[in-house]
Amino acid sequence: MRIAWGITGAGHLLEASVDVLKYIKDEGHDLSIYLSGAGEEVLRMYGLFNKVKNLTGEGYYNELILERDQELSYPMTGRFSLGKYDLLVISPTTSNTIGKIVNGIADTLITNAVTQAGKGNVKTLIVPVDFEAGDLETVLPSKLELDECQQCEVCDAAEACPQEAITPGVEINLLKCKGCGICQQACPYSAIAGGKKITIHMREIDIENTHKLFNFDGVKVLSEPEKVKKYLKKE
Ligand SMILES: Cc1cc2nc3c(=O)[nH]c(=O)nc-3n(C[C@H](O)[C@H](O)[C@H](O)COP(=O)(O)O)c2cc1C
C-alpha cells in the first residue's frame, strides 16, 4: 500500500506510533511521513526524530515531509486531493489538530492533509490523544527535577549536554534538547528524569471534539496506533 502518516506535536502515544511506523516499513509498504511543526519539535524532545527520519528517504512517496518546508499553501497535500495515497493515518493527534479538523480548519500541514484526503476520497484513520473522558497517564521528555538538583558549582549534566540545552539549576530548554539522555547519566544526583510519568486530565471540549469526528465521512477514529495494523493490506 501507499501510506501517508502524519505526526502532530503530542508526546502521548508518540512512541507507540513510531513502533507502528516501523512495522509498516518492515512490511514493505511505501511510507511518506508528514510532520507538523510541533510534531517535529516533540519528536526531537523524545529522541525519536532520527528513528522516524530513517524510515523514509528512499525516494518518491517515501519522503519525510516537514511543515516548515511547505509554506502557506501546503502544495504537497495536493497528493491527497488527487487520491495518490491508499491511506492517511494521523497518530498521535493533538487536541489542537482535532479541534481544527472538526471545525473545517486547514491551516497546518496535517489539517490540510486531512482536508484534501476528504476531497480525494483517501481513507483516513485518526488516533486522538484525547479519546476518553477522565485522567490519563503520559510520559514527559527529559526534565530537571529542582528538588533533586544540588546546585553544583560545575553542573556535570550541563557540561555533558551536546546541545548546550541545560541552564544549571534552572531548566532544560526543550527546543534545544534532542532527547539523547546523556544528561541523565552525567548527573551524579539523578536530578534529571527521563520518561517521567504524569497524570493529566482530559478537557471536556477536547473529548467533545473527538466525538464530533466519529461522524466524519471517510474518517475512522482509533483508540491506539496499534489498531492501524488491521487496515493494512498485503500488496
Ligand atoms: C513535550 C510536549 C508534549 C506535548 N504533548 C501533547 C499531547 O500529548 N497532546 C496534546 O494535545 N498536545 C501536546 N503538546 C502541545 C502541542 O505540541 C501544541 O498544542 C502544538 O501547538 C500542537 O500543534 P499541532 O497540532 O499542529 O501539532 C505537547 C507539547 C510538548 C512541548
Side-chain angles (χ1 to χ4, degrees):
M1 288 175 84
R2 188 183 286 163
I3 298 168
W5 188 298
I7 296 179
T8 63
H12 192 64
L13 299 179
L14 187 60
E15 197 164 359
S17 299
V18 176
D19 288 346
V20 179
L21 278 167
K22 170 132 189 2
Y23 172 86
I24 288 174
K25 196 69 206 168
D26 291 346
E27 289 286 293
H29 299 285
D30 279 333
L31 179 63
S32 310
I33 303 179
Y34 288 70
L35 303 186
S36 75
E40 181 183 352
E41 287 175 8
V42 170
L43 271 174
R44 289 187 198 279
M45 291 171 199
Y46 285 86
L48 292 168
F49 179 79
N50 283 336
K51 193 167 177 186
V52 165
K53 192 174 169 201
N54 291 338
L55 296 172
T56 59
E58 291 159 18
Y60 210 32
Y61 292 112
N62 286 284
E63 312 99 331
L64 182 66
I65 297 150
L66 304 178
E67 171 136 31
R68 60 184 155 91
D69 294 333
Q70 288 294 303
E71 308 229 352
L72 297 177
S73 55
Y74 304 96
M76 198 60 110
T77 61
R79 287 181 179 182
F80 296 98
S81 38
L82 296 172
K84 298 287 186 190
Y85 288 105
D86 300 311
L87 186 67
L88 168 64
V89 182
I90 312 294
S91 177
T93 319
T94 57
S95 355
N96 173 58
T97 290
I98 298 283
K100 287 181 178 182
I101 293 170
V102 300
N103 284 292
I105 295 171
D107 68 347
T108 65
L109 180 62
I110 303 299
T111 51
N112 270 282
V114 172
T115 303
Q116 298 307 326
K119 295 181 185 189
N121 282 325
V122 177
K123 187 170 185 57
T124 301
L125 308 177
I126 297 189
V127 184
V129 166
D130 307 86
F131 191 76
E132 265 174 336
D135 290 345
L136 180 83
E137 198 172 74
T138 192
V139 179
L140 294 178
S142 296
K143 183 174 182 310
L144 175 55
E145 298 291 359
L146 291 177
D147 290 349
E148 308 296 330
C149 178
Q150 304 298 308
Q151 309 278 339
C152 303
E153 209 166 299
V154 175
C155 172
D156 290 345
E159 293 286 306
C161 174
Q163 310 302 326
E164 300 185 0
I166 301 176
T167 307
V170 181
E171 64 183 0
I172 299 175
N173 180 344
L174 286 177
L175 290 174
K176 288 187 177 175
C177 176
K178 299 278 183 282
C180 67
I182 291 173
C183 55
Q184 291 156 35
Q185 269 115 53
C187 174
Y189 300 102
S190 305
I192 298 183
K196 183 180 175 180
K197 290 191 175 147
I198 56 159
T199 301
I200 52 170
H201 186 70
M202 299 290 98
R203 300 187 312 162
E204 214 170 286
I205 185 167
D206 297 326
I207 298 298
E208 264 174 41
N209 283 338
T210 294
H211 285 177
K212 285 183 196 161
L213 208 52
F214 291 148
N215 303 321
F216 268 53
D217 270 353
V219 172
K220 189 98 191 131
V221 183
L222 306 179
S223 60
E224 53 185 2
E226 184 74 16
K227 294 201 170 151
V228 170
K229 290 183 182 172
K230 210 179 95 189
Y231 294 83
L232 304 177
K233 293 189 194 102
K234 290 255 183 245
E235 293 296 278

